[in-house]
């Protein structure tokens, strides 16, 4: 097989066969196919797309490039969630223990911060001692014991995806729906799941802002998940403003703790609840939406969800004391209020400048391996549609030095806009299930 | 400048600025831009194209990556020809001495065999001792002295093009009109020319077989040449059958010697004559086509053209005796006649199988640096439209061993088709001058 011939076929709009994808990726991992051929192929894929058969074959090839979690004799249904990423999106921190406390096993692999969006493993590491670098054996044992594990991406899982992702990142080949779908599904399918809920973000703070792309991505991933034997549902949700109020690692962890007791910002509670209901339905531990809602409400009100989080922290070496004393999380040394600059109505709160500022203030990475400061970030109470008076505090900046405060204030000025604007997106913009695909 | 940003802009259909092309190529040559980013950009260019400004800027950047021939105080007009390549295309061997013998300086840089097409420098090296690896100083001195030099691509000229060409070759990014145009023009412009004639091939044996692509390429190159201050004319010519009868290095050299005395196959004589007329017009040594034709006919009939070839061979270290004794060229040890297999009319003589067979028989390279056998090849008298009887010899195979004879016979069976067919293309399919571009 000449790689060049495969590139030419894709370039001319043709399709590669399953065996060709398999052989291509294993040769790439062995160093027999150079990066410069792979990047040309990736650009051709971005141009020409992949048909359903190719997409399944590529995903399988990426999946099979590494290990997977298997669950022999473990009768508990396993369900996970994936989000395409946003600003203030701390849903995973609430959802994993919540759903696990409802009798569903959640082996949740998460990423680090990427671009302007935060990462779940970074947020968890706000907790002193918390280990996210679990081995697959540790994950298996912990999920069997307490029903949940939250861990970082392992080299053992889908190494071909990791190599391709790094290459895509520097060759302008990230925004391809099939490549994104294959990357996500190859990793999630390695968890050995019965069900998967996808939270596909849309709006200015999402990686693919336009709704059309979000819908295409949601449909593509549901089709791909189902083709791999994993029940899959996608919600398309709003990322035209931050989710909840807190942005930044330990600030988001604190807000997640509130949500685990049924408190905290309405949008965070509502989205977490909807995703939890979908997960319970896919796990078949609830038969109807109403039943699932009731179960979720009970888990929150009874303290079971919060207890599960405490158990999780303890199992992964963290200090469970943060659950009852969030003040023990890393605290910023500098805090400053941000006031509305005029009387009027807030038109928009753009997530991107805030997400970027967290990185700039030291709360994210510019380069792989950078240490991060978990304490920095924002609490933003300003929401689109809110009436404000000049001088009214609408946000706080948490930083480690005056330069960080300045960067944060500047980001808030760029983010918060006044005056009439398009109405914000509904929190849940759409839902895609396998049934929707059949009806098309 | 982040290369990634440039890739993204091109991917999204935008344009790079002149300074960006310049900086990109110089950083690429210094090893600061990796091949995997360049190949992704090349695929994006193949997809999105280049606008006129970008094409000029890329060509200039490639040109300026190396040295160029300069001609201070040399009053003789300099004109060259470039062919996009074909099977049996030995025109350069006739044209360079012919035009030089009409008082035009011809500093002709040529390539080696590529794919199924032969290369002028390989053909010249059929002559014992002939050196094609002239330095630029040697080229300058020889052109000043005898008006012509025929030399291989020098590392000193457009090194960025050489690097990019090698990368394109293995990443499926060859068939892009702007990339082909930039590659050709950057090298030709480095010769310091007053005029350039382009022979753009069309038909099954051409690199870009369809007429539309050939026309686009011709127009693009004429525009690009003129933009660089070089008078440029393109002919679009037939490559749906081999040119002339001989295919293979020393066989083609021998046929070129015939053409230099005004003999040999009609199509070769006609095409060479047309190209010579265009060159004389661009050089302004003739005012009208009639005048140029007369001058060309005189150079052939008087022996001036052949004398110039003898001078050229001598100047470049070759044995000028071959001119009067073509039998001293490398001769194949095995020769076999190929007979028509049926009574009827020949419908087509496909050039590709024959070109590929020359490589297989040892007359071309599979890999850079392979030694080649100059003696092997074909003489094909079969032409589309020719009436034949079964058993009538229509070609000969020249090989070094029985396996080569077998490969050659097989190629002839694949190439020669009987029965009604589309009429062959006219030898000269079209002509593009700068005036045509202005009128569009």
């Amino acid at each position: 097989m000449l790689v060049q011939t495969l590139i030419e076929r894709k370039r001319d709009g043709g399709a590669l066969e399953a065996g060709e994808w398999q052989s291509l990726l294993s040769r790439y991992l062995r160093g027999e196919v150079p990066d410069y051929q792979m990047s040309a192929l990736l650009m051709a894929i971005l141009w020409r797309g992949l048909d359903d058969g190719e997409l399944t074959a590529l995903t399988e090839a990426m999946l099979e490039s590494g290990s997977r979690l298997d669950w022999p004799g473990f009768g508990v249904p396993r369900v996970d969630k994936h989000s395409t990423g946003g600003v203030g999106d701390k849903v995973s921190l609430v959802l994993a223990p919540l759903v696990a406390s409802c009798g569903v096993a959640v082996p949740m692999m998460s990423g680090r911060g990427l671009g302007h969006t935060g990462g779940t493993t970074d947020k968890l590491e706000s907790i002193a001692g918390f280990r996210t670098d679990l081995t697959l054996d540790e994950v298996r044992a912990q999920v069997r014991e307490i029903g949940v594990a939250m861990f970082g991406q392992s080299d053992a899982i889908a190494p071909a995806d990791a190599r391709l992702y790094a290459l895509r990142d520097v060759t302008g080949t990230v925004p391809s729906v099939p490549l994104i779908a294959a990357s996500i599904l190859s990793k999630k399918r390695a968890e050995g799941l019965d069900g998967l809920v996808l939270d596909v973000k849309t709006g200015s703070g999402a990686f693919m802002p336009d709704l059309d792309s979000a819908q295409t991505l949601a449909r593509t991933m549901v089709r791909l998940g189902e083709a791999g034997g994993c029940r899959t549902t996608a919600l398309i949700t709003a990322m035209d403003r931050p989710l909840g109020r807190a942005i930044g690692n330990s600030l988001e962890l604190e807000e997640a703790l509130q949500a685990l007791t049924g408190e905290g910002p309405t949008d965070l509670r509502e989205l977490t609840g909807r995703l939890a209901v979908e997960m319970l339905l896919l796990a078949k531990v609830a038969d109807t939406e109403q039943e699932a809602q009731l179960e979720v409400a009970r888990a929150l009100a009874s303290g079971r969800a919060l207890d599960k989080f405490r158990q999780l922290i303890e199992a992964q070496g963290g200090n469970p004391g943060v659950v009852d004393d969030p003040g023990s999380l890393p605290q910023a040394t500098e805090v400053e209020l941000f006031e509305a600059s005029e009387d009027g109505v807030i038109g928009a709160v753009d997530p991107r400048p805030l997400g970027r500022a967290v990185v700039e203030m030291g709360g994210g990475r510019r380069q792989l391996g950078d240490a991060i400061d978990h304490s920095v970030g924002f609490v933003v109470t300003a929401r689109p549609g809110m009436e404000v008076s000049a001088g009214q505090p609408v946000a706080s900046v948490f930083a480690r030095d005056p330069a960080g405060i300045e960067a944060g204030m500047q980001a808030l000025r760029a983010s918060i806009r006044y005056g009439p604007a398009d109405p914000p997106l509904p929190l849940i913009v759409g839902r895609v299930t396998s049934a929707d695909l059949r009806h098309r």
Side-chain angles (χ1 to χ4, degrees), chain A:
Chain A
M1 181 196 62
L2 255 177
V3 178
Q4 197 176 326
T5 314
L6 303 184
I7 302 172
E8 287 167 4
R9 199 188 314 149
K10 178 48 67 188
R11 173 198 77 197
D12 295 339
L16 276 59
E17 287 162 31
E20 291 172 330
W21 287 110
Q22 199 78 49
S23 146
L24 179 70
L25 287 209
S26 52
R27 288 176 57 200
Y28 179 56
L29 275 187
R30 287 201 302 271
E32 294 165 16
V33 172
D35 282 335
Y36 56 78
Q37 288 189 316
M38 194 52 89
S39 64
L41 178 65
L42 290 169
M43 185 60 81
I45 293 172
L46 196 139
W47 170 14
R48 298 295 196 172
L50 295 178
D51 69 28
D52 284 359
E54 288 185 286
L55 183 53
T56 302
L58 172 60
T59 307
E60 293 285 338
M62 281 160 56
L63 172 62
E64 282 164 26
S65 71
S67 307
R68 44 210 293 184
L69 289 168
D70 47 355
W71 305 97
F74 183 55
V76 184
R78 294 162 307 276
V79 179
D80 191 9
K81 181 223 57 157
H82 178 86
S83 161
T84 59
V87 174
D89 181 2
K90 69 281 292 176
V91 164
S92 291
L93 303 175
V94 189
L95 196 63
L98 170 57
V99 170
S101 76
C102 298
V104 176
V106 185
M108 186 182 273
M109 185 166 63
S110 307
R112 304 220 165 257
L114 182 66
H116 66 284
T117 67
T120 298
T121 50
D122 290 337
K123 293 170 197 172
L124 285 167
E125 286 172 0
S126 301
I127 303 169
F130 196 101
R131 279 182 57 214
T132 58
D133 61 341
L134 304 184
T135 65
L136 296 189
D137 283 340
E138 288 174 319
V139 169
R140 260 186 288 252
Q142 183 177 316
V143 169
R144 280 173 183 267
E145 198 179 323
I146 66 168
V148 60
M150 299 185 79
F151 54 106
Q153 214 165 302
S154 153
D155 291 349
I157 282 185
D161 171 66
R163 279 282 306 277
L164 287 179
Y165 196 90
L167 185 61
R168 285 167 58 206
D169 201 32
V170 292
T171 54
T173 49
V174 168
S176 150
V177 164
L179 291 178
I180 293 171
S183 172
I184 293 171
L185 268 291
S186 65
K187 284 175 291 195
K188 287 295 165 186
R189 283 196 45 211
E191 295 172 354
L193 301 175
D194 299 297
L196 174 63
V197 177
L198 298 159
D199 181 2
V200 180
K201 302 292 190 192
T202 185
S204 62
F207 270 109
M208 297 186 103
D210 69 296
L211 184 55
D212 271 1
S213 303
Q215 277 169 332
T216 305
L217 181 58
R219 279 198 296 270
T220 303
M221 290 199 293
V222 170
R223 196 186 305 119
L224 191 55
E226 296 275 340
C230 174
R231 299 188 288 274
T232 310
T233 298
L235 296 184
I236 298 168
T237 74
M239 189 35 71
D240 56 341
R241 71 274 184 180
L243 182 67
R245 289 188 289 258
I247 303 167
N249 296 294
S250 67
L251 294 164
E252 292 193 41
L253 193 91
E254 193 172 339
E255 194 168 84
L257 287 170
Q258 294 167 16
L260 275 165
T261 61
E263 292 177 11
T266 318
D267 59 347
L268 174 61
R269 276 157 39 204
E270 191 185 329
L271 180 56
T272 308
R274 276 296 299 266
L275 290 165
V277 164
E278 298 290 356
M279 288 171 78
L280 266 54
L281 290 173
L282 288 178
K284 301 192 174 171
V285 299
D287 290 331
T288 65
E289 220 169 288
Q290 288 68 24
E291 199 185 316
Q293 273 166 355
L294 200 65
E295 177 65 12
V296 167
R298 277 197 200 117
L300 291 168
S302 65
R304 265 196 285 140
L306 195 64
D307 281 347
K308 187 56 77 182
F309 195 41
R310 206 180 271 114
Q311 258 185 303
L312 172 78
I313 296 173
E314 207 155 11
Q316 296 190 213
N319 166 23
V322 298
V323 170
D324 303 299
D325 178 17
S328 64
L329 287 165
Q331 301 293 317
T333 47
E334 310 270 337
V335 182
E336 196 161 319
L337 286 177
F338 178 86
E339 299 167 349
S341 61
E342 51 187 87
D343 295 339
V345 174
I346 288 177
V349 181
D350 185 2
R352 269 182 197 255
L354 304 177
R356 280 202 211 101
V358 171
V359 178
E360 201 180 335
M361 291 154 72
R365 287 176 195 79
R366 283 167 205 279
Q367 293 193 25
L368 218 71
D370 280 0
I372 68 173
D373 184 335
H374 293 91
S375 73
V376 305
F378 300 92
V379 170
V380 182
T381 48
R383 314 298 301 165
M386 190 167 109
E387 283 189 34
V388 292
S389 329
Q392 174 185 337
V394 292
S396 313
V397 182
F398 297 79
R400 54 181 169 187
D401 52 31
I405 292 290
E406 190 34 51
M409 300 297 269
Q410 228 173 53
L412 284 162
R413 284 191 287 272
S415 166
I416 298 176
R417 292 190 284 271
Y418 299 88
D422 293 338
L425 292 169
L427 182 62
I428 313 289
V429 180
R431 178 172 184 263
V432 180
T433 69
S434 60
D436 297 322
L437 299 182
R438 282 194 294 273
H439 295 154
R440 289 181 64 85

